[in-house]
Amino acid sequence: RIIFGALSVGLLAVIWLAALVGEPDAGDNLAPTFIYVVFWLGLVPLVVVFGNLWSLLSPWRAAADVVAWAWSKAGRDWEPAAAYPDRLGRWPAAGLLLAFAALELAYPRSAEPRTLALAIVVYSWVTWAGMLLFGRRKWIENGEAFHVYFGFLARIAPFAVQERDGRRVVVVRPPLAGLTARQDTPGTVAFVAVMLGSVAFDGFSRTSWWQDQLYDLVSRYIVESPRTADLVATAFNLLGLLAAVGAVALLFLAA
């Protein structure tokens, strides 16, 4: 955990600096390719095969663990400022995952490095603030969007980690068996709807029909006011994304 944590924190710093002060063109900058391809897509098959590796690779968790370790070594005790409300459940994670999906799929300039630098700062601030307020474990399990996301995908894997007699051990199980575990945590349906709805919209938004509708709206403003054109495109795509998420949620609840 220490080795992977140190590497992940260093990599986060490198990607953020590349997005902040590197080449402004997305094609010449490391950050967009790493975030949207290596991280967002490349980590999925690893998690599906080997389990939730994100629990080892999360730079936000690693940084918080270092701070907590240093604090304890200084002989100080710390308690979360507030108890995490049970009714809140996974709603924060669902909201943050929706925000990431909106950035990727709704905002026309989502690949611009400076945009990604700001997104990294905002997500990092929210994540560490949540850990500080409610405690590391509670926020990671309910509010850290990528931990919850990869955690759900890891249910497909034949490997899992369980606590037995106070120890965490790796267990082997039939593939897909983890999907049968019942989930009563509030916000779970919303999170799954964002997972599946964002993928559905990603495909639908690439169709010629959607692109034609988007062009008809944006073409009125793109010459005179590019910023207005971006706002119109973002709003139109965001409505489509929300509709897809809502449709998945309704079908899920109906089933």
Side-chain angles (χ1 to χ4, degrees):
R1 180 178 294 280
I2 294 174
I3 294 173
F4 281 115
L7 291 174
S8 65
V9 171
L11 189 56
L12 176 66
V14 169
I15 296 302
W16 179 69
L17 288 173
L20 182 66
V21 299
E23 292 291 335
D25 184 77
D28 297 326
N29 195 294
L30 171 66
T33 301
F34 184 88
I35 292 173
Y36 290 129
V37 179
V38 177
F39 164 68
W40 187 235
L41 298 179
L43 196 56
V44 170
L46 295 178
V47 168
V48 167
V49 173
F50 297 109
N52 191 6
L53 299 177
W54 184 245
S55 62
L56 293 174
L57 298 176
S58 171
W60 296 286
R61 178 176 185 173
D65 287 344
V66 169
V67 173
W69 175 82
W71 191 262
S72 64
K73 287 297 182 181
R76 301 186 178 186
D77 294 328
W78 177 83
E79 293 292 335
Y84 190 83
D86 292 336
R87 64 181 182 278
L88 200 57
R90 295 190 173 104
W91 281 103
L96 288 172
L97 185 66
L98 180 63
F100 179 82
L103 171 64
E104 181 190 12
L105 303 176
Y107 185 51
R109 303 182 186 276
S110 61
E112 287 188 350
R114 305 303 181 257
T115 300
L116 291 174
L118 177 60
I120 291 172
V121 170
V122 172
Y123 188 84
S124 299
W125 184 88
V126 171
T127 301
W128 286 324
M131 292 181 184
L132 183 65
L133 181 61
F134 298 113
R136 286 173 293 160
R137 183 168 183 175
K138 277 294 184 181
W139 187 258
I140 287 171
E141 293 177 351
N142 297 284
E144 211 277 270
F146 300 120
H147 180 88
V148 179
Y149 174 75
F150 290 121
F152 274 121
L153 291 176
R155 294 176 179 275
I156 300 173
F159 302 100
V161 175
Q162 296 180 356
E163 290 192 8
R164 295 179 179 176
D165 300 327
R167 296 174 58 249
R168 290 167 58 84
V169 296
V170 176
V171 297
V172 181
R173 62 189 179 187
L176 308 180
L179 294 174
T180 62
R182 184 174 177 84
Q183 290 292 313
D184 295 324
T185 305
T188 299
V189 172
F191 192 90
V192 173
V194 174
M195 287 178 64
L196 302 181
S198 59
V199 174
F201 176 72
D202 189 14
F204 182 70
S205 65
R206 301 300 190 268
T207 62
S208 57
W209 181 87
W210 185 268
Q211 291 297 318
D212 289 342
Q213 306 306 311
L214 181 61
Y215 176 79
D216 290 341
L217 288 173
V218 173
S219 60
R220 308 171 189 176
Y221 311 98
I222 196 167
V223 175
E224 296 181 357
S225 179
R227 287 190 176 182
T228 302
D230 285 346
L231 289 174
V232 171
T234 301
F236 185 66
N237 286 326
L238 185 58
L239 286 175
L241 175 62
L242 293 175
V245 171
V248 171
L250 290 175
L251 289 171
F252 194 94
L253 291 173

